[in-house]
Amino acid sequence: MAKINPFRAVRPTRDKVSLIASRSYQSYTPVERDSRMDYNPYSFLHIVNPGYKYHKEISGEERYKLVRNRYLEFKEDEIFMQDETPCFYIYKIVNREKESFSGIIAAASAEDYENDIIKKHEDTLADRETTFKQYLKTVGFNAEPVLLTYPDNDTIAQIIKKIAQERAEYEFTTTYRDTHYVWKVDDKESIEKIQSAFDTMKTIYIADGHHRSASSYLLAKDLASDNSEHQGTEPYNFFMSYLIPESDLRIYEFNRLIKDLNGLSKEEFLIQLDEWFRIENRGIEVYKPSQPHHFSMYLDGEFYSLYLRKTIYEFTDALEELDAQILFKTVLDPILGIKDLRTDNRIEYSHGKNDIVYVKSKIDQGEFQVGFGLFPAAVEQIKKIADEGLKMPPKSTYIEPKLRSGITIYEF
């Protein structure tokens, strides 16, 4: 059964939360990062990019130690405070499209991760796991929750609804026009009800954050082995997560852009595609797939619809039904010669929020030769793949919500 704990978050004072909150470090361009840090001394980016202070790129253990120093400085300057008792935190986001996401920030169990109560659907890279584990071990905190999802639950929904009627601890709007709300849950009755509701769930699922959760699990093993008095209840046995109901997840596709046709002419390429797909030239009409196993393709100034020939494609398991896997097995690997979706520099990805017109523009500019649009995976597909112990290809899903860093911080 899923074990979810409250914790004593380190978090910004109410007056500074909007200044501290930042997107994930990797989502900024260098120019964007510098601009925010130039004019905002409270941005969380100052903590995770400590070299900015010295106008120098710093990496490895040297950077990790300076991250720790900046974090302690924010605490010493009382920019951060820490709750006196363990709490859950209700976090709601209303984005610019007026979509609403509500969930609970809590500490999830590393033991549940190990025992597959927390299910995974993506492969992780060992070197990234180890690097981030060492980062966590040095800095002593985590500021980016793993996104977990659970089956819709009436008890949890009612608690969230009731608490959200009170004044929020935080309420602020970002320059992206997303509005963020946070409520603290510190009463014993609500905490116990939330824990009991999760205790009835046999499994919960990682939606986003496979490397962060894997690194947190490795950290728990490391620190447990270093602690002669290990009991299993120490903070390092858990990792910060944002748990939202399945109905609140928004799943988008990642479209594929390919730089060349692997030595084939346009006609040769289309003939090879015909083995697997029923092809229709749509001309300049923008085509976006409307159901699974339908794909769009943009090539040489024209859109094509590709419908999988199901009489010859064999669906042997949940993974083989996933459109990202189908495209890899029928086109990217055998025809275009792309064997490794992580490392081949001939392929790039564009998440579905950019739309297929973005793919068209990149090809029209000459950066790529062909692009493919996919239909987004469903929550049930992802769960089925995880339940069967299978792993999806890289960049199969782009999942929202995306949380800001630095709003709640988990220390261990």
Side-chain angles (χ1 to χ4, degrees):
M1 306 300 109
K3 185 175 184 179
I4 301 298
N5 280 356
F7 67 100
R8 296 175 59 222
V10 174
R11 53 191 182 86
T13 55
R14 189 196 295 264
D15 62 316
K16 295 184 178 66
V17 63
S18 63
L19 297 171
I20 289 171
S22 72
R23 304 199 312 267
S24 67
Y25 178 80
Q26 294 82 1
S27 70
Y28 293 96
T29 67
V31 172
E32 286 178 322
R33 277 199 304 268
D34 287 348
S35 174
R36 280 156 175 77
M37 296 171 75
D38 283 343
Y39 298 103
N40 181 4
Y42 297 109
S43 172
F44 194 75
L45 293 171
H46 285 284
I47 292 176
V48 294
N49 186 24
Y52 172 84
K53 182 176 181 179
Y54 304 108
H55 308 287
K56 181 182 177 182
E57 287 291 330
I58 302 172
S59 60
E61 190 66 22
E62 182 182 27
R63 172 178 169 255
Y64 306 161
K65 290 177 180 177
L66 290 179
V67 168
R68 175 73 178 167
N69 288 347
R70 294 294 165 275
Y71 173 65
L72 293 176
E73 288 168 8
F74 270 50
K75 290 184 72 175
E76 290 163 3
D77 292 342
E78 298 184 346
I79 297 168
F80 286 141
M81 48 81 72
Q82 186 170 23
D83 287 311
E84 294 182 359
T85 60
C87 307
F88 288 124
Y89 303 87
I90 306 298
Y91 194 146
K92 177 181 177 181
I93 303 171
V94 180
N95 67 18
R96 62 195 300 169
E97 290 86 21
K98 303 305 179 185
E99 295 174 314
S100 180
F101 311 89
S102 295
I104 298 172
I105 293 183
S109 167
E111 184 179 18
D112 283 357
Y113 179 91
E114 179 180 33
N115 293 334
D116 214 30
I117 292 170
I118 297 175
K119 297 273 191 178
K120 311 93 180 164
H121 65 262
E122 286 184 7
D123 273 327
T124 52
L125 299 174
D127 60 338
R128 282 187 62 188
E129 290 179 16
T130 304
T131 298
F132 194 59
K133 178 203 73 173
Q134 192 55 48
Y135 169 83
L136 293 174
K137 196 171 187 176
T138 302
V139 303
F141 68 86
N142 193 352
E144 290 189 29
V146 172
L147 182 62
L148 301 178
T149 189
Y150 59 89
D152 286 45
N153 181 282
D154 287 340
T155 298
I156 297 173
Q158 288 302 315
I159 292 172
I160 291 175
K161 182 178 179 180
K162 178 183 176 183
I163 292 173
Q165 293 173 356
E166 302 170 4
R167 183 196 180 196
E169 183 76 10
Y170 299 145
E171 178 181 349
F172 65 95
T173 301
T174 70
T175 53
Y176 270 38
R177 289 184 283 172
D178 298 337
T179 302
H180 298 247
Y181 305 85
V182 177
W183 293 266
K184 187 171 70 169
V185 184
D186 57 1
D187 66 285
K188 184 178 179 182
E189 182 182 359
S190 296
I191 287 173
E192 289 179 349
K193 283 183 177 179
I194 291 170
Q195 288 183 298
S196 296
F198 279 106
D199 192 51
T200 67
M201 299 178 192
K202 293 182 179 179
T203 55
I204 55 180
Y205 295 81
I206 299 175
D208 192 22
H210 283 78
H211 281 93
R212 274 170 281 152
S213 50
S215 300
S216 296
Y217 166 65
L218 292 179
L219 177 70
K221 286 180 32 176
D222 266 18
L223 295 182
S225 65
D226 293 342
N227 183 1
S228 60
E229 299 180 2
H230 171 78
Q231 296 181 346
T233 57
E234 298 86 353
Y236 60 72
N237 293 289
F238 300 86
F239 56 93
M240 185 168 65
S241 300
Y242 180 46
L243 298 108
I244 70 168
E246 292 171 6
S247 60
D248 272 16
L249 276 184
R250 299 293 181 271
I251 304 175
Y252 300 89
E253 72 280 9
F254 266 105
N255 298 317
R256 274 70 170 135
L257 298 106
I258 317 299
K259 292 185 177 178
D260 59 66
L261 298 182
N262 198 29
L264 299 172
S265 68
K266 173 183 173 180
E267 292 73 20
E268 290 169 336
F269 177 58
L270 289 171
I271 289 169
Q272 291 199 32
L273 280 182
D274 196 88
E275 177 184 354
W276 293 103
F277 300 94
R278 179 179 173 181
I279 304 171
E280 182 178 346
N281 187 328
R282 303 275 181 149
I284 61 172
E285 173 195 355
V286 175
Y287 172 72
K288 186 177 174 70
S290 59
Q291 65 185 66
H293 310 151
H294 288 190
F295 302 83
S296 66
M297 181 176 73
Y298 186 71
L299 172 67
D300 196 24
E302 296 177 310
F303 284 96
Y304 295 80
S305 59
L306 309 179
Y307 298 167
L308 182 68
R309 298 186 188 277
K310 297 179 183 179
T311 55
I312 63 170
Y313 186 89
E314 189 175 1
F315 298 110
T316 55
D317 54 39
L319 180 60
E320 297 304 319
E321 296 182 14
L322 184 73
D323 282 355
Q325 177 73 357
I326 291 170
L327 190 69
F328 175 69
K329 286 193 66 174
T330 60
V331 182
L332 301 182
D333 180 6
I335 300 177
L336 295 177
I338 295 173
K339 307 292 183 184
D340 192 328
L341 294 172
R342 293 185 189 276
T343 61
D344 197 312
N345 60 15
R346 296 169 54 230
I347 184 169
E348 291 189 16
Y349 305 90
S350 169
H351 61 70
K353 293 201 79 174
N354 284 335
D355 209 343
I356 198 68
V357 176
Y358 176 83
V359 173
K360 175 184 182 298
S361 68
K362 288 291 187 179
I363 294 169
D364 288 344
Q365 292 166 17
E367 296 180 41
F368 301 90
Q369 193 165 356
V370 63
F372 297 94
L374 285 70
F375 188 75
V379 173
E380 288 304 320
Q381 270 188 296
I382 296 172
K383 289 172 61 179
K384 192 174 179 183
I385 288 169
D387 289 342
E388 293 182 15
L390 303 170
K391 300 294 185 288
M392 295 164 59
K395 301 294 185 183
S396 291
T397 56
Y398 178 83
I399 295 180
E400 289 190 336
K402 303 290 185 189
L403 272 65
R404 296 272 158 159
S405 298
I407 296 176
T408 58
I409 299 170
Y410 183 78
E411 292 188 335
F412 36 80

